[in-house]
């Protein structure tokens, strides 16, 4: 399987607070993206440290299901929660189980999982914000303020468990994307050079194993054997 990580800082952001990473286990593959809010003073560090905790704990597991992954996420949060009191983030994990031929998406916030190429890309996971809730219950249109108000997110002071979606089969291609990419760039068609928010995606597809990394900062993490990183 080939992996591609792309990440750019938005014009309205002091630093790129998106993080991506993969963990290649013996019987599973785990992909993770984290999108920290700019409200806390140390969002980038919060996203980086929590992602590192999740991936480094996951790689020690022989097998990993969604329940075990949530435990790993909770333990990783517990280890750093005293360091980040004001920070908050969205996150999305894709867990591919090679033995059972099943995938799980674990989402919290406004990162999304898509399947297919851009021409026929289908978004599979929900968005946890007031705007999406209003659309679902009342049919009201989205507005900027409601899209920025998350109904579920990872907080420095409190762990928020993800919504779990089971997906039959492992066939991709898959894309994990932050809202700066899937919403501002793809849906609203804003040029990449003019994006206000950080924009990142992690793409998985068949082919010779390898990782291609194109980022404007050090926000990529790789754990496990059998994966060769081609560029950074």
């Amino acid at each position: 399987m080939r992996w591609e990580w792309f990440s750019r800082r938005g014009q309205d952001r002091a630093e790129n607070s998106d993080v991506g990473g993969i963990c290649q286990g013996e019987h599973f593959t785990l992909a993770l993206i984290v999108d920290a809010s700019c409200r806390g003073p140390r969002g980038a560090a919060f996203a980086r440290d929590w992602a590192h905790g999740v991936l480094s704990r996951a790689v020690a597991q022989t097998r990993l299901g969604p329940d075990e992954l949530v435990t790993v996420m909770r333990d990783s949060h517990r280890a750093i929660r005293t360091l980040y009191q004001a920070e908050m983030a969205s996150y999305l994990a894709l867990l591919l189980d090679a033995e059972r031929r099943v995938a799980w998406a674990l989402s919290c916030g406004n990162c999304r999982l898509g399947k297919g190429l851009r021409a026929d890309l289908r978004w599979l996971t929900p968005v946890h914000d007031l705007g999406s809730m209003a659309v679902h219950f009342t049919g009201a249109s989205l507005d900027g303020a409601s899209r920025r108000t998350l109904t579920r997110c990872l907080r420095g002071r409190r762990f928020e468990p993800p919504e779990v979606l089971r997906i039959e089969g492992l066939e991709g291609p898959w894309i994990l994307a932050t809202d700066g990419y899937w919403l501002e760039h793809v849906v609203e068609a804003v040029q990449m050079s003019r994006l206000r928010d950080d924009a990142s995606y992690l793409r998985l597809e068949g082919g010779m194993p390898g990782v291609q990394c194109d980022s404007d900062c050090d926000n990529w993490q790789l754990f496990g054997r059998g994966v060769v990183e081609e560029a950074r």
Side-chain angles (χ1 to χ4, degrees):
M1 181 171 287
R2 297 186 62 81
W3 305 76
E4 178 187 356
W5 171 245
F6 176 90
S7 185
R8 289 292 185 274
R9 179 179 65 85
Q11 292 183 348
D12 290 356
R13 301 294 184 258
E15 60 180 338
N16 189 337
S17 297
D18 291 347
V19 173
I22 62 174
C23 169
Q24 184 64 65
E26 183 177 356
H27 300 287
F28 67 87
T29 301
L30 173 63
L32 176 68
I33 60 171
V34 187
D35 177 5
S37 168
C38 60
R39 294 180 181 179
R42 303 177 61 205
F46 175 54
R48 182 181 62 249
D49 288 352
W50 185 72
H52 184 276
V54 172
L55 296 170
S56 62
R57 285 172 170 81
V59 77
Q61 308 296 315
T62 302
R63 289 175 174 80
L64 191 66
D67 292 339
E68 293 81 7
L69 179 53
V70 171
T71 298
V72 166
M73 290 175 168
R74 191 183 301 275
D75 290 344
S76 301
H77 176 266
R78 184 180 297 115
I80 64 171
R81 63 184 178 186
T82 59
L83 303 176
Y84 302 102
Q85 293 294 300
E87 281 65 35
M88 54 189 295
S90 297
Y91 66 87
L92 170 70
L94 174 65
L95 178 61
L96 304 176
D97 189 317
E99 287 189 312
R100 288 180 280 187
R101 303 293 299 175
V102 65
W104 285 276
L106 296 86
S107 64
C108 180
N110 55 20
C111 297
R112 300 194 82 178
L113 173 68
K115 187 175 183 180
L117 300 174
R118 181 156 184 169
D120 61 348
L121 182 62
R122 294 180 294 114
W123 297 109
L124 305 178
T125 53
V127 179
H128 303 121
D129 63 25
L130 288 180
S132 298
M133 182 179 293
V135 170
H136 178 75
F137 287 106
T138 69
S141 59
L142 292 171
D143 64 74
S146 60
R147 287 188 316 204
R148 290 190 296 270
T149 304
L150 299 178
T151 57
R152 180 185 298 202
C153 66
L154 179 70
R155 300 180 185 274
R157 291 173 292 184
R158 176 171 54 85
F159 175 75
E160 183 74 29
E163 182 172 348
V164 180
L165 173 66
R166 179 187 172 104
I167 307 169
E168 297 296 334
L170 304 181
E171 294 75 16
W174 307 93
I175 183 169
L176 296 79
T178 65
D179 65 321
Y181 182 80
W182 74 260
L183 178 58
E184 195 175 353
H185 180 58
V186 176
V187 176
E188 298 178 347
V190 179
Q191 294 181 7
M192 187 64 65
S193 61
R194 297 183 177 181
L195 295 179
R196 300 176 60 185
D197 196 5
D198 302 331
S200 305
Y201 68 79
L202 177 54
R203 191 188 309 276
L204 298 69
E205 56 187 328
M208 293 294 293
V211 177
Q212 181 177 352
C213 182
D214 182 0
S215 177
D216 58 10
C217 66
D218 184 14
N219 61 352
W220 171 250
Q221 302 183 20
L222 178 64
F223 290 82
R225 298 180 179 180
V227 180
V228 178
E229 190 166 356
E230 296 178 346
R232 194 172 184 87

